[in-house]
Amino acid sequence: MGGKQPTLHDVARLANVSHQTVSRVINESPNVADQTRERVLDVVRRLNYRPNRAARSLITGRSQTLQVINFDANYLTPLPPIITMANDHGYQVSVSTMRHPSSPEELRRFFDEMTSRIVDGFLLFAMDFKMDVHLLNRLCRGIPYVQLGTDPDPDTPAVIFDQKLGMQQVMQHLFDLGHRAIAEVSGLFAQVDGRIRHAAYLDMMEKIGHEPGPWFEGNFTVAGGYEQTCRVLSSGRPFTALVCGNDQMALGALRALHEAGLRIPEDVSVVGFDDENIVSFLEPPLTTVRQDFHKQAHLGIEYLIHLIDDPTTARSHNVIAPELVVRRSTASPFRNSPPAAPFADNRRA
């Protein structure tokens, strides 16, 4: 090399691969064939190549770093697919967490710190409060961003799940089985997902002309699901199905129902939301709504990189349709009792 510091393109040329492939190997992306990886690493060792991110940042004005901001410490950010997807595009990932800000000033200080770092884009997770797109633009100071989840402003670039559709699928499934007395342990109304799912539950019950409930507000935890299901049982109102605002609360609900001597699904059908890994191993396996967080992460990173590469990219919502996953926790309420009995007290006159 005549004393010249080897570059990424030198490695790519000698290894007979693209510079993107070299970037993937350096960033330890799994999406490279083993034989290709070894060839690239052999060239890296022979050239004694060392990536110089600082120099690259000065030349390109980019740090090749994406900042993930999680606004809910209890929200499990799908980091593995985010890191993999980012590495495939030559980016590193940094992660910060901020609980719901107590004031606009606290929010401003937080974003001041985030924007003082050399980052190329933000992925905003679990921003469970409405923020005007103009304010968000000012806070991000021109750095591209994509919001994942919740209920973003119409002009905010975002990748979201259709929460309403998910609950509509749940209710239609129960209606098709013959359920009309359907109880609910909702999610926390302080969180937009809880509000949207509960509103869809009420709307679907109204459409078939039946009173909703009994229903109580939960808090998305196993303990909350248990406690509120005990309240449902103590209400004295008959029900043949129980809809839970997420899988965690469904776990608590199953415990409460078992303690009450009720069989699932013979006496009560139970449905969750999210399709967490554990629910397919329950007995019975839980009917729930699958939200593909890996797909959301993939689309979010892809969208963010488009915004970084081309600031004229249109700002829009990429909406992902959730999928109802039917397992053995739901069944017809008519198998062990006459059709009219469970519904007599809940039917409107």
Side-chain angles (χ1 to χ4, degrees), residues 29-277:
S29 168
N31 298 331
V32 179
D34 290 342
Q35 186 176 5
T36 301
R37 185 187 305 278
E38 285 305 314
R39 187 165 75 251
V40 170
L41 290 175
D42 180 62
V43 173
V44 166
R45 285 189 289 267
R46 285 194 286 120
L47 295 182
N48 195 28
Y49 171 71
R50 294 290 184 272
N52 190 332
R53 294 188 181 276
R56 190 189 327 171
S57 177
L58 289 173
I59 295 170
T60 65
R62 295 185 183 179
S63 65
Q64 298 304 118
T65 300
L66 304 179
Q67 180 75 46
V68 172
I69 302 178
N70 184 2
F71 287 88
D72 183 353
N74 296 317
Y75 182 86
L76 298 178
T77 309
L79 280 179
I82 289 174
I83 293 172
T84 298
M85 183 70 177
N87 289 169
D88 283 349
H89 287 272
Y91 286 87
Q92 302 181 94
V93 174
S94 180
V95 182
S96 297
T97 299
M98 181 190 192
R99 293 186 179 276
H100 196 296
S102 59
S103 68
E105 180 61 23
E106 181 184 1
L107 185 66
R108 186 191 63 77
R109 287 197 303 269
F110 177 79
F111 269 94
D112 281 349
E113 180 184 348
M114 292 296 102
T115 54
S116 69
R117 304 176 184 181
I118 304 177
V119 297
D120 297 332
F122 293 119
L123 277 180
L124 309 177
F125 272 93
M127 185 182 285
D128 200 32
F129 48 94
K130 197 77 170 182
M131 187 181 296
D132 178 83
V133 67
H134 302 294
L135 173 59
L136 193 50
N137 288 341
R138 290 196 298 273
L139 290 172
C140 291
R141 296 188 178 183
I143 299 174
Y145 62 87
V146 171
Q147 185 172 339
L148 302 185
T150 68
D151 185 26
D153 186 280
D155 296 319
T156 295
V159 181
I160 61 176
F161 293 106
D162 191 335
Q163 303 287 339
K164 181 178 180 180
L165 175 62
M167 184 56 77
Q168 288 173 335
Q169 292 175 342
V170 167
M171 298 300 289
Q172 191 60 55
H173 169 63
L174 294 174
F175 294 160
D176 291 344
L177 289 172
H179 293 278
R180 297 296 182 271
I182 302 173
E184 182 201 25
V185 174
S186 77
L188 194 66
F189 294 160
Q191 297 186 15
V192 67
D193 290 353
R195 296 195 300 272
I196 291 174
R197 295 173 193 175
H198 176 64
Y201 159 79
L202 295 178
D203 181 62
M204 292 293 284
M205 292 300 292
E206 182 179 0
K207 284 184 177 178
I208 64 165
H210 284 259
E211 292 287 351
W215 65 264
F216 294 94
E217 180 185 358
N219 62 1
F220 288 127
T221 68
V222 175
Y226 175 83
E227 293 166 3
Q228 299 310 319
T229 301
C230 288
R231 294 183 67 187
V232 169
L233 292 164
S234 298
S235 72
R237 293 181 59 187
F239 61 98
T240 61
L242 175 63
V243 175
C244 298
N246 72 344
D247 291 338
Q248 290 292 309
M249 291 195 298
L251 294 178
L254 290 173
R255 173 66 179 270
L257 294 169
H258 284 309
E259 288 182 356
L262 296 173
R263 300 166 299 166
I264 315 300
E266 292 84 356
D267 300 317
V268 179
S269 289
V270 178
V271 186
F273 209 107
D274 287 338
D275 195 31
E276 295 189 21
N277 292 335

